[in-house]
Amino acid sequence: MKFSKSVIGGAALASASALVLVGCSPEGSESDSTATAGDSASTGAAIIKTNGSEPQNPLIPVATNETGGGKIIDALFAGLVYYDATGAAHNEVAESIETDDSQTFTVTLKDGWTFTDGTPVTASSFVDAWNWGADPANSATALNSYFFEQIEGFDGYNSEEGASNPEMSGLKVIDDSTFTITLAAPNAEFPLALGYSAFYPLPESFFADPEAFGKAPVGNGIYTLASADDWKHDVQIDLSVNDSYAGEREVMNDGLSIVFYASQDAAYADLLAGNVDVIDGIPDANLATFGDDLGERAVNQPAAIFQSFTIPQNLEHFSGEEGNLRRQALSMAINRDEITNVIFQDTRTPASDFTSPVIDGWSDSIPGSEVLEYNPEKAVELWAEADAISPWSGTFSIGYNSDGGHQTWVEAVTNSIENTLGIDASGLPYATFADFRTDVTNRTITGAFRTGWQADYPSLENFLGPIYYTGAGSNDGDYSSEEFDTLVDEGKTASTPEEAIEKFQQAQEVLFTDLPAIPLWYSNVTGGYADTVENVQFDWHSVPLFYEITKK
C-alpha cells in the first residue's frame, strides 16, 4: 500500500505493522505503563538470571549478527522503535516517522533521552552510527552493513576494498531532534526494520575508540553494563537497570545476569534446581518430559526461527551442475518428519520454504519446494548422476557448536544422509558457539555447517536478503545470484505488501533451484522458568521479555 501521507507514531506504526504481521506468534499482554526504569525499586535482590552464550564479536550493534551478542545488545540499547510480544512495532526514541512517498522519511525524536554516560541521544547519534556502519572502511567490523543498503548513497560492501565513504547522501541532520532518511527507491516497509539493532544509536565516545567501546558499551536501553568487569568472558555478563532509560517499557526487576552455559543440559539442570530463572532452550533429551517437569512454567510456542545447514559455494563437489545435483540429493535424503517427531517431539515443523509460518506471506507451495520432501530413491538417482560427472570421495560433514544442543539432530541428519546415499557423513563439533562462528566467518570451516535465522524484524525479506543477497553480512556460504538479488530489490521497493510478497516468493524459487542452504525445519521456542519468578512472556522471535519478569 502506498501512503499519500503516513505519520508513523506509536499507534499508527502498530497498525502499519499489522499489515505485515497477520499470522504472527501468539499474542501476549502489553503494559500500558509509561513508568521508567528509575521508577522501579532497585534493591539488587531481584536480578533475573538466564542462559546465553559468549558473544562472537565486540558489543557494537552494527557488529553483532548472532544470537549470543544480540540478546545483550537488545538489553543495552533502544532504537527508534521497539517490538512488542506479538511483533507489532511501537515508537520508542522516535516521536514520529513521517513520509509522503515511502521514500523520504522525517524522523522526530522524543525529548529526554540520554546515554548512560550522560550525553544526549540526538539525531546525529543515529546518523553518525549508520554512516559508520555503512562505511566500507569499517566493513570488517560492521557485519550488519547490509541493512543500510537501501539508503541513498550507500556503497558498503559494493565498494573496492579499503575505500571510504563516511556519509550516505540519504541521511540529513536537520537539528538535534530531527533527521531525514531518503531511500534509493520507495519502500513502505522500511520503518518496520528500524527496531533492529543495526539501527541503534551510538554516543560520541564510540567514535573516539570503537575497540574500547566494544568491551564496555555505553547504551541508552533498559539495562546497562555498569563496568567492564561485569563481563566475565566465557562465564557470564551482569547487567544493571539503567536509571536514565526514558522509554515506556516498565522494568520490573533489578537487573539481568546472562550465564554462558557450556550445554543446554547444564542450563536445564540449573532451572530444575532453581539456580537460573528462565531459559530459552530445552535439551533434546528432555523435550518429551519438560512439560511434566515444569507444568504451567513450560513454554512451547511458534516463533520466527528457521533452521538449515549451509554448503559453501567453494566446497569441492558442490559447484556447477555436479553441485546442484548433490545439493538436491542431500535435501531429499533427509527424513525431516521422522527427525522432528522422534527427536524434537513435534516442537519443530518440517520446512517448506526459507522463511517462517509466523510471518505474513509465508507459503508451503512455492515451486521447487518438493526438493524438501523425503525421497530416498530420487536422492540416490541424483547422487549417481553427480558421480558420473565427478566421483564422490571423503566424508560429508556438518559443523555445529556443542554448547547449543545441536549434536542429536546433526547426528540424525547425517545418519539419514549416510543411510540413504551410502556415503560417510558425520557431525563436526566445536566446543563453543564463538569457536564455531570464528571458523565460519573466517571461511576456514572445512565442510557444511549448521545455520539458522532468528528474525530481526517481521518480514519475509529479513529471512532472505541478509542471508543470501550477494555480499550480505550473514551470507556465510558466499552465495551470489543476480536473479535472486534483483527479485529481493523489487520486493523491497514494491508499492504494496502483496506485490512485495509475490517478489519474495519468486526469489525463493531461485533459492530452491540453487539450494545455497538446505532448509530443515521451523522452530517453536521451547523454554521454561523456575518457580522463583512470575510474569514470564516469550516474544514473537523467541526471546523472553526480560524487563517484565518479576522475582517472587
Side-chain angles (χ1 to χ4, degrees), residues 50-53 55 59 64 66-77 197 200 223 237 239 256-260 278-281 454 538 541-544 546:
T50 188
N51 65 309
S53 58
L59 291 174
T64 301
E66 44 81 23
T67 54
K71 182 182 290 186
I72 300 168
I73 290 289
D74 287 340
L76 295 176
F77 290 85
S197 57
Y200 287 161
Y223 297 100
I237 190 167
L239 307 181
L256 183 62
S257 182
I258 302 174
V259 181
F260 306 145
V278 57
I279 64 174
D280 57 8
Q454 180 185 51
F538 284 67
H541 69 334
S542 83
V543 179
F546 293 113

Side-chain angles (χ1 to χ4, degrees), residues 49 92 128-129 227 240 276 283 297 397 407-408 417 437 450 455 503 543:
K49 183 176 287 190
E92 186 153 45
D128 292 347
S227 166
S240 305
V276 65
R297 294 181 284 109
S397 63
Q407 178 179 350
T408 304
I417 290 170
R437 286 298 306 171
R450 80 153 191 97
K503 293 297 183 182
V543 179

Side-chain angles (χ1 to χ4, degrees), residues 45-346:
I47 294 173
I48 305 303
K49 183 176 287 190
T50 188
N51 65 309
S53 58
E54 174 73 17
Q56 179 192 5
N57 301 306
L59 291 174
I60 300 169
V62 75
T64 301
N65 63 353
E66 44 81 23
T67 54
K71 182 182 290 186
I72 300 168
I73 290 289
D74 287 340
L76 295 176
F77 290 85
L80 294 173
V81 303
Y82 75 91
Y83 308 115
D84 68 18
T86 70
H90 301 264
N91 281 357
E92 186 153 45
V93 181
E95 180 68 39
S96 64
I97 305 171
E98 302 177 322
T99 184
D100 291 320
D101 57 6
S102 295
Q103 185 168 4
T104 296
F105 300 84
T106 299
V107 179
T108 303
L109 306 182
K110 295 175 181 174
D111 296 329
W113 280 87
T114 63
F115 292 102
T116 54
D117 62 1
T119 59
V121 178
T122 67
S124 294
S125 306
F126 288 94
V127 170
D128 292 347
W130 301 1
N131 277 327
W132 189 93
D135 188 343
N138 302 319
S139 60
T141 301
L143 302 177
N144 281 331
S145 63
Y146 167 84
F147 290 92
F148 307 118
E149 183 264 347
Q150 56 196 307
I151 299 175
E152 182 184 87
F154 173 84
D155 287 333
Y157 46 77
N158 294 319
S159 293
E160 295 181 4
E161 187 175 353
S164 181
N165 179 31
E167 293 185 1
M168 289 182 281
S169 59
L171 296 178
K172 301 291 184 186
V173 174
I174 307 303
D175 55 41
D176 281 351
S177 61
T178 313
F179 67 101
T180 60
I181 310 165
T182 300
L183 307 181
N187 182 357
E189 266 194 357
F190 177 74
L192 187 62
L194 293 175
Y196 178 52
S197 57
F199 296 102
Y200 287 161
L202 289 169
E204 291 182 5
S205 60
F206 166 79
F207 304 99
D209 191 343
E211 183 178 355
F213 184 95
K215 299 175 182 178
V218 173
N220 65 321
I222 293 174
Y223 297 100
T224 182
L225 184 66
S227 166
D229 293 337
D230 290 332
W231 183 1
K232 302 172 181 65
H233 292 275
D234 297 314
V235 178
Q236 70 184 54
I237 190 167
D238 297 316
L239 307 181
S240 305
V241 172
N242 175 15
D243 290 333
S244 64
Y245 170 71
E248 66 183 22
R249 291 181 285 175
E250 183 180 6
V251 188
M252 303 301 294
N253 50 65
D254 289 336
L256 183 62
S257 182
I258 302 174
V259 181
F260 306 145
Y261 283 99
S263 69
Q264 286 186 326
D265 300 276
Y268 188 65
D270 265 4
L271 180 70
L272 295 180
N275 296 325
V276 65
D277 296 307
V278 57
I279 64 174
D280 57 8
I282 300 296
D284 296 341
N286 300 99
L287 288 174
T289 59
F290 85 105
D292 293 331
D293 292 342
L294 300 176
E296 293 181 350
R297 294 181 284 109
V299 176
N300 180 17
Q301 69 185 49
I305 306 175
F306 168 83
Q307 184 73 59
S308 61
F309 66 84
T310 292
I311 304 173
Q313 297 296 302
N314 63 352
L315 194 63
E316 187 178 3
H317 293 294
F318 285 97
S319 59
E321 182 182 358
E322 179 195 358
N324 186 265
L325 291 167
R326 294 201 190 281
R327 291 167 190 270
Q328 293 179 59
L330 288 168
S331 182
M332 293 183 178
I334 301 167
N335 192 336
R336 295 168 178 79
D337 287 321
E338 182 177 84
I339 293 171
T340 54
N341 176 260
V342 175
I343 292 179
F344 291 118
Q345 298 292 311
D346 295 323

Side-chain angles (χ1 to χ4, degrees), residues 451-517:
T451 40
W453 193 252
Q454 180 185 51
D456 305 310
Y457 53 92
S459 167
L460 291 179
E461 186 275 328
N462 184 239
F463 284 87
L464 303 176
I467 313 175
Y468 308 112
Y469 197 96
T470 302
S474 295
N475 187 347
D476 293 326
D478 295 321
Y479 173 66
S480 180
S481 165
E482 183 177 351
E483 182 181 7
F484 173 82
D485 292 353
T486 297
L487 288 166
V488 169
D489 288 340
E490 291 174 351
K492 289 163 64 175
T493 58
S495 58
T496 68
E498 293 77 17
E499 291 177 14
I501 287 170
E502 181 180 359
K503 293 297 183 182
F504 294 143
Q505 290 179 347
Q506 290 174 9
Q508 291 195 75
E509 293 183 41
V510 178
L511 295 182
F512 276 123
T513 297
D514 297 342
L515 287 177

